[in-house]
Amino acid sequence: MIIQTAIPLITEYGSAVTTAKIARAAGIGEGTIFRVFADKDELLQACIAEALSPEHAIRELGAIDVSQPLPDRLAEAAEALQAHMDRLGAIIGSLGHGGGKHPGTVRGAGRDESTTLIRAALAELLEPDKAALRRPPEQIAALFIGLLFTQPRTEDEPDLTSQELAELFLHGALSGGTE
């Protein structure tokens, strides 16, 4: 509960957030924070670890209805994964920890394990269409994640919507009717 309360405050105030402010928002005494965490730095590290945790993204991917058409499933997956990266970016950015050592997650999973778990959850969404895919679902999942997180951001061109990204991924860059 302390971590869940602290994350939005850290996103808003960065490391300048006080433990008193977090305690007030959580409806607890400040001393309670220090019974759980040795100091503010340990609390901040726990919040980073929680933001890095793949569990929220995996739950969102698991909630996608597999009876939907594949483009719709991939569009929802893109939204869930982008939200995961946005949460992570917001907390890491607010604390100024870009490029630092990965602290793991609350549950002990490191970056590689987190990526593997997310890729497996995405592969499950692809499984109903396995026979129609050119490559195994696990490889398609890895390729889709790669495309999703390496989209070039330019000021003169609008970002692709999740649906456009899914369609481009599934059908390529050629428009219909081209021979």
Side-chain angles (χ1 to χ4, degrees):
M1 175 196 62
I2 295 169
I3 293 171
Q4 296 305 318
T5 302
I7 288 175
L9 294 171
I10 293 167
T11 300
E12 184 176 350
Y13 298 104
S15 60
V17 69
T18 63
T19 54
K21 184 179 283 291
I22 294 168
R24 276 193 303 278
I28 60 175
E30 189 175 9
T32 303
I33 291 175
F34 295 111
R35 281 194 282 282
V36 178
F37 301 99
D39 56 25
K40 182 177 161 184
D41 285 340
E42 187 177 302
L43 170 59
L44 294 177
Q45 286 303 307
C47 290
I48 291 170
E50 180 63 23
L52 289 169
S53 173
E55 291 179 16
H56 186 78
I58 290 168
R59 274 194 310 276
E60 286 187 27
L61 291 173
I64 296 172
D65 182 2
V66 294
S67 68
Q68 296 181 81
L70 183 56
D72 295 339
R73 278 182 274 150
L74 278 180
E76 279 191 53
E79 289 173 12
L81 293 173
Q82 191 59 55
H84 172 68
M85 291 306 293
D86 289 347
R87 281 189 300 273
L88 176 59
I91 193 159
I92 298 294
S94 69
L95 292 174
H97 280 89
K101 183 176 184 255
H102 185 290
T105 66
V106 171
R107 308 287 187 281
R111 181 180 298 171
D112 291 341
E113 184 180 346
S114 294
T115 301
T116 299
L117 293 170
I118 289 173
R119 190 172 37 238
L122 183 55
E124 283 185 39
L125 282 177
L126 299 166
E127 196 64 37
D129 292 282
K130 183 178 182 174
L133 299 174
R134 292 182 183 179
R135 307 297 301 166
E138 296 78 15
Q139 187 176 24
I140 297 294
L143 291 167
F144 186 70
I145 290 170
L147 175 63
L148 181 63
F149 296 133
T150 59
Q151 288 185 74
R153 308 278 184 199
T154 61
E155 291 181 25
D156 55 337
E157 294 182 27
D159 289 342
L160 294 173
T161 66
S162 296
Q163 194 70 43
E164 290 169 331
L165 180 72
E167 294 286 339
L168 181 66
F169 178 75
L170 291 172
H171 304 294
L174 296 176
S175 63
T178 304
E179 295 183 33

